[in-house]
Amino acid sequence: MSTTPRTASPRHYLMCRPTHFRVTYAINPWMDPAKPVDTELAVAQWEDLRNLYLRLGHRVDLIEPLPDLPDMVYAANGATVVDGKVLGARFRNAERAAEGPAYLEWFRSHGYTETLDPVHVNEGEGDFLVTGDRVLAGKGFRSAPESHGEAQEFFGRPVIGLELTDARYYHLDTALAVLGPDEIMYHPEAFTPGSRAVLERLFPDAVLADAEDAAVFGLNAVSDGRHVVLPEAATGLAAKLADRGFEPIGIDLTELLKGGGSVKCCTLELRSAAV
């Protein structure tokens, strides 16, 4: 049992209501167009998440959903924001390509002056996760390795490349979650041996998720330093977090999981220049 005191810090998030959510194509193993999708239920589950953030004292801004972009609900993929600087997204799949410009337009219209339309494929916080003064960066399925150098040059922070090997965990945020400046949780089997070795060296005390909790997207989670919001089905992972002094909060986003996303996928963090 951890005796480390956990302190929550107010966060600023951008979210997109799944008004037009549906699964009509398959670009990851979780998507099945033959499986019925209840958009009304998806909206209700999303509202539960948004309301939870508000109850926890966080600020939530909204971007208007566009009817031809059903995956726009996965706001984390829309950009990466560090020190008030916005690195836009460039999607690998044509079905999502228009999301990058839509999110960048939102930032530019809301007063963000340091923005970059990327040259290389990167799918926002799906593959770029900020921990301390570093950025952990995924590759292997979506974001191009060249995007790591582009992000490092733009943000002026070290970018640590990590290679994913399991198509079910196609973005870094499905296999790893940041808990605090120097704390993470991850599923070792989702990474190459070399990337696992890097994680073990950088985070020797990380929380490790087993296959069962990873398979219910337990690592697609959001932490404010004290509360960790994660899929309610990840009970084993929740117990491990509680043992470390965190307060895990389970939530049901199973309808949105049909598109290959959960808590973190729906949540883009807006880090100000003061952070």
Side-chain angles (χ1 to χ4, degrees):
M1 180 72 69
S2 172
T3 57
T4 304
R6 302 293 180 183
T7 303
S9 59
R11 305 298 172 101
H12 184 187
Y13 299 134
L14 179 63
M15 299 180 70
C16 182
R17 183 176 282 102
T19 307
H20 309 292
F21 178 67
R22 60 193 183 277
V23 177
T24 58
Y25 50 80
I27 59 173
N28 67 59
W30 304 88
M31 303 178 83
D32 182 358
K35 188 178 295 184
V37 171
D38 186 335
T39 302
E40 185 176 344
L41 177 57
V43 171
Q45 292 178 346
W46 178 93
E47 289 283 4
D48 287 343
L49 178 62
R50 174 176 175 266
N51 290 333
L52 173 59
Y53 287 147
L54 295 174
R55 290 198 304 273
L56 292 174
H58 305 309
R59 174 181 170 185
V60 178
D61 287 348
L62 300 179
I63 183 173
E64 188 69 22
L66 300 178
D68 295 330
L69 298 175
D71 284 345
M72 199 169 167
V73 60
Y74 304 123
N77 302 150
T80 307
V81 185
V82 182
D83 300 327
K85 302 173 69 173
V86 182
L87 175 61
R90 183 176 294 274
F91 287 84
R92 182 168 296 280
N93 299 102
E95 292 88 345
R96 301 193 66 183
E99 292 180 43
Y103 273 91
L104 261 185
E105 172 58 29
W106 185 92
F107 282 104
R108 288 168 175 159
S109 67
H110 283 76
Y112 288 81
T113 57
E114 292 188 84
T115 65
L116 179 65
D117 194 345
V119 173
H120 302 291
V121 171
N122 88 74
E123 301 201 350
E125 281 198 330
D127 276 325
F128 288 139
L129 297 178
V130 179
T131 173
D133 62 355
R134 294 183 290 239
V135 179
L136 304 180
K139 61 180 179 177
F141 295 102
R142 295 293 184 85
S143 296
E146 294 83 0
S147 71
H148 299 180
E150 189 172 32
Q152 181 167 279
E153 187 66 23
F154 182 60
F155 292 129
R157 293 191 180 202
V159 173
I160 310 298
L162 300 168
E163 187 162 2
L164 300 159
T165 61
D166 187 327
R168 293 174 299 170
Y169 310 116
Y170 57 95
H171 277 149
L172 184 62
D173 71 352
T174 67
L176 184 152
V178 175
L179 300 173
D182 298 303
E183 291 183 278
I184 67 168
M185 58 182 181
Y186 69 99
H187 179 48
E189 286 72 24
F191 297 91
T192 61
S195 293
R196 286 201 303 270
V198 169
L199 289 171
E200 289 166 3
R201 180 181 294 272
L202 293 177
F203 307 99
D205 297 321
V207 176
L208 302 183
D210 61 22
E212 184 177 2
D213 283 327
V216 294
F217 258 39
L219 290 160
N220 198 241
V222 170
S223 170
D224 63 13
R226 177 179 177 181
H227 311 97
V228 181
V229 184
L230 75 169
E232 63 182 9
T235 54
L237 196 52
K240 291 179 181 179
L241 290 168
D243 285 345
R244 298 288 185 99
F246 292 99
E247 294 184 24
I249 304 174
I251 193 165
D252 180 9
L253 291 181
T254 48
E255 205 61 25
L256 290 165
L257 183 54
K258 293 177 180 178
S262 190
V263 178
K264 176 55 188 169
C265 286
C266 294
T267 312
L268 174 57
E269 185 167 353
L270 310 185
R271 301 173 185 85
S272 70
V275 174

